[in-house]
Amino acid sequence: MSNPDPDAERKARNGRSIAIALGLAAFVIIVFVVTIIRLGGNVASRPF
Amino acid sequence: MAREQMTDATFNAAAAPARWQDYLQLMKPRVMSLVVFTALTGLVCADRAMNPILAAVAILCIAVGAGASGALNMWYDADIDAKMRRTRARPVPAGKVKGAEAATLGVTLSLFSVMLMGMALNWLAAGLLAFTIVFYAVVYTMWLKRWTAQNIVIGGLAGALPPVIGWAAATGTAPLDAWLLCAIIFLWTPPHFWALSLYTSEDYAKAGVPMMPVVAGAASTRKQILAYSAVFVASCFAPVVTGLGGLAYTAVTALGGLVFMILAWRVFRSRAGEAPKDRVEGLYDVKAGSKDARNLFAFSILYLAALFAALLAQHALGLP
């Protein structure tokens, strides 16, 4: 078994972490925007 | 078990750590782009006014769903992929990504894409997307591919469904016109893949995949390519009959269909798939006898793209 370069390993791990963070952030934003669109103007006219 | 052993062995030999690009590669980005194109065509052809953000989310869900099934395919097929020149550099057989990671990515993205499609658009589109993923990853990859020479004929349904999903996302229904688009891609798949397999059959044979040229021989495959090409080209006229396809689509169908049939006839008359085992340099270099098969393979992609582009332009721009 080979020993990967620690620097390359750290760089690759950082890249993967950033990709996951961006993916999750995009998912949260999409769900928020979709919710607003699906609710439409009904939020403003809901009874209190 | 053999697959796991092979995957672990190749993984242990890996030197380079996995980058995020390797995980993206698991999702077969080139296949995703084709799926996006055909799904978008279905969505636009539905001619339904739609919130552009929801339309974009629908296409994103279909793209991610396609990528998820690609990752599941790469997980399960790592043993086959390692034996074929065309696929041995993929992340799992190359040892960059563990098979279990590919499977996890596939399952996770499948769930996310289907649930988001259901919540943002409708559950018919979500159900069709889920069916497509399961059909590709389970029915085609795990069962048909290693079992029958009809693998890509039946499995082609998974690649043919995206326009129906796009249509369903826009309208909540899947009418006849949507299924005509599905039928066109379904009937396009056999001549497309068999033309490719005529000049890569040695690879498939080595990997033990029962592709048509391996099982039935090159002559039988060439005959079936011609027969499927005739049915496929005829099916391309169906949207003209129902009114889905306009003038541009009719012109593209007629001209492209003529060229398609000429190329299929040339393959039929050629010795493609039977050429002597002369030296082949690059991955996509072709033995002299298989040039006709390569021409049909290349034109089949162009023809399908032109058909869907004509429909897309017609419905997006309101052309006759």
Side-chain angles (χ1 to χ4, degrees):
Chain A
M1 180 159 177
S2 55
N3 293 315
D5 173 12
D7 249 15
E9 179 70 56
R10 186 178 47 79
K11 212 172 154 189
R13 195 188 313 120
N14 284 348
R16 296 197 301 262
S17 302
I18 291 168
I20 292 170
L22 289 176
L24 283 174
F27 180 72
V28 169
I29 292 167
I30 287 169
V31 170
F32 176 74
V33 171
V34 164
T35 306
I36 298 299
I37 292 170
R38 296 281 297 201
L39 288 174
N42 298 330
V43 172
S45 57
R46 74 190 190 282
F48 287 96
Chain B
M1 185 60 80
R3 179 180 308 105
E4 283 162 17
Q5 283 165 356
M6 188 285 306
T7 306
D8 287 345
T10 49
F11 184 77
N12 288 339
R19 300 169 307 150
W20 64 268
Q21 291 94 331
D22 295 321
Y23 293 90
L24 183 67
Q25 210 58 39
L26 286 174
M27 297 170 70
K28 301 191 179 183
R30 276 168 62 191
V31 175
M32 272 169 74
S33 62
L34 276 175
V35 166
V36 163
F37 179 53
T38 56
L40 180 67
T41 304
L43 187 139
V44 171
C45 284
D47 288 332
R48 179 74 57 90
M50 197 178 176
N51 184 304
I53 295 175
L54 290 183
V57 170
I59 297 299
L60 178 72
C61 288
I62 297 170
V64 172
S69 53
L72 290 169
N73 171 275
M74 286 210 197
W75 156 64
Y76 195 82
D77 275 352
D79 57 335
I80 290 179
D81 288 347
K83 292 176 189 159
M84 304 209 300
R85 266 190 327 154
R86 188 171 65 86
T87 53
R88 67 187 170 202
R90 286 178 173 176
V92 180
K96 293 175 182 167
V97 175
K98 278 183 180 173
E101 287 182 317
T104 307
L105 181 75
V107 171
T108 307
L109 291 182
S110 298
L111 294 174
F112 270 70
S113 59
V114 171
M115 294 307 288
L116 186 59
M117 178 71 99
M119 290 187 292
L121 280 306
N122 59 70
W123 290 99
L124 174 65
L128 285 166
L129 181 60
F131 174 80
T132 306
I133 294 169
V134 171
F135 195 85
Y136 184 75
V138 178
V139 178
Y140 170 70
T141 301
M142 297 182 187
W143 179 37
L144 295 171
K145 186 172 177 179
R146 295 163 194 251
W147 178 62
T148 170
Q150 298 295 325
N151 48 14
I152 56 102
V153 179
I154 308 167
L157 180 63
L161 278 167
V164 186
I165 305 172
W167 200 301
T171 64
T173 61
L176 175 67
D177 276 338
W179 291 105
L180 288 182
L181 298 181
C182 175
I184 287 171
I185 303 175
F186 182 76
L187 292 168
W188 166 88
T189 308
H192 168 76
F193 269 110
W194 285 340
L196 170 73
S197 65
L198 275 177
Y199 58 89
T200 53
S201 57
E202 286 169 34
D203 252 9
Y204 284 114
K206 204 162 60 181
V209 180
M211 288 298 281
M212 192 57 81
V214 178
V215 175
S220 169
T221 306
R222 293 196 300 267
K223 199 189 294 176
Q224 294 189 64
I225 285 176
L226 184 64
Y228 266 102
S229 295
V231 179
F232 160 62
V233 170
S235 77
C236 293
F237 285 94
V240 178
V241 177
T242 63
L244 178 67
L247 286 174
Y249 177 82
T250 309
V252 169
T253 303
L255 284 174
L258 185 65
V259 176
F260 198 100
M261 285 312 299
I262 290 170
L263 293 176
W265 177 255
R266 283 187 181 165
V267 170
F268 176 64
R269 296 295 303 268
S270 76
R271 292 177 52 77
E274 290 174 8
K277 294 181 178 177
D278 47 359
R279 192 157 169 263
V280 179
E281 297 289 341
L283 180 59
Y284 291 100
D285 288 350
V286 180
K287 287 178 252 173
S290 296
K291 198 167 178 239
D292 293 312
R294 180 184 166 150
N295 287 342
L296 178 63
F297 173 73
F299 185 75
S300 67
I301 299 170
L302 180 69
Y303 185 44
L304 189 73
L307 288 174
F308 277 75
L311 281 176
L312 189 60
Q314 177 198 326
H315 288 268
L317 305 173
L319 302 175

